[in-house]
């Protein structure tokens, strides 16, 4: 489970980095808090951060449960795919909204496999 812990921490660090990007974009484009609109690049950067937070709500419990009920190494690998997907999403979306799809799909697929894998593992453990 050490690998799971490491991957979860990396995902949180990535989320924090996205938060710093929002702060930088806010300053660069002169968007005063609490405003979240006013410049398209700022808005996309803000959305990357917020969307990642939305995904972390499912990702963190799913990876832990997958690690406990299935396999922690596979869970960590899927978690790495999630982190990579979020990075691809961020770079693509901040540059142009139509370039976010690959990263969004990659990170969503990783979370889906973790959720359904964990569900399978939990149900399997109920019958053994």
């Amino acid at each position: 489970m050490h690998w799971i812990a490491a991957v979860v921490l990396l995902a949180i660090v990535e989320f924090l980095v996205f938060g710093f990007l929002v702060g930088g974009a806010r300053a660069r484009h002169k968007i005063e808090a609490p405003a979240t609109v006013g410049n398209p690049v700022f808005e996309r950067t803000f959305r990357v951060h917020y969307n990642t937070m939305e995904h972390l709500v499912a990702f963190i419990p799913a990876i832990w449960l997958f690690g406990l009920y299935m396999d922690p190494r596979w869970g960590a690998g899927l978690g790495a795919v999630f982190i990579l997907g979020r990075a691809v999403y961020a770079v693509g979306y901040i540059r142009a909204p139509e370039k976010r799809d690959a990263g969004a799909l990659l990170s969503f697929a990783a979370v889906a496999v973790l959720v359904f894998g964990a569900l399978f593992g939990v149900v399997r453990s109920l019958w053994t």
Side-chain angles (χ1 to χ4, degrees):
M1 294 300 289
H2 299 295
W3 285 105
I4 297 288
V7 169
V8 168
L9 289 170
L10 283 174
I12 293 169
V13 167
E14 182 180 55
F15 174 70
L16 294 174
V17 168
F18 293 164
F20 284 117
L21 292 177
V22 171
R26 184 178 290 282
R28 221 174 11 267
H29 300 290
K30 297 176 179 46
I31 309 294
E32 293 190 30
T36 58
V37 297
N39 176 280
V41 175
F42 168 75
E43 291 170 14
R44 292 192 302 266
T45 305
F46 179 84
R47 190 66 196 128
V48 163
H49 184 242
Y50 201 87
N51 185 263
T52 299
M53 178 179 60
E54 293 168 341
H55 277 76
L56 286 173
V57 169
F59 170 74
I60 292 174
I63 192 172
W64 280 108
L65 291 168
F66 188 99
L68 284 170
Y69 288 95
M70 295 298 287
D71 185 279
R73 281 176 267 162
W74 277 99
L78 289 163
V81 169
F82 171 81
I83 292 168
L84 176 65
R86 291 280 89 198
V88 170
Y89 173 80
V91 170
Y93 197 13
I94 291 169
R95 287 185 180 162
E98 63 275 4
K99 294 184 178 182
R100 72 181 190 257
D101 294 344
L105 182 60
L106 196 58
S107 55
F108 178 80
V111 171
V113 172
L114 288 167
V115 167
F116 288 108
L119 180 62
F120 173 80
V122 168
V123 169
R124 182 182 63 182
S125 75
L126 293 172
W127 301 108
T128 58

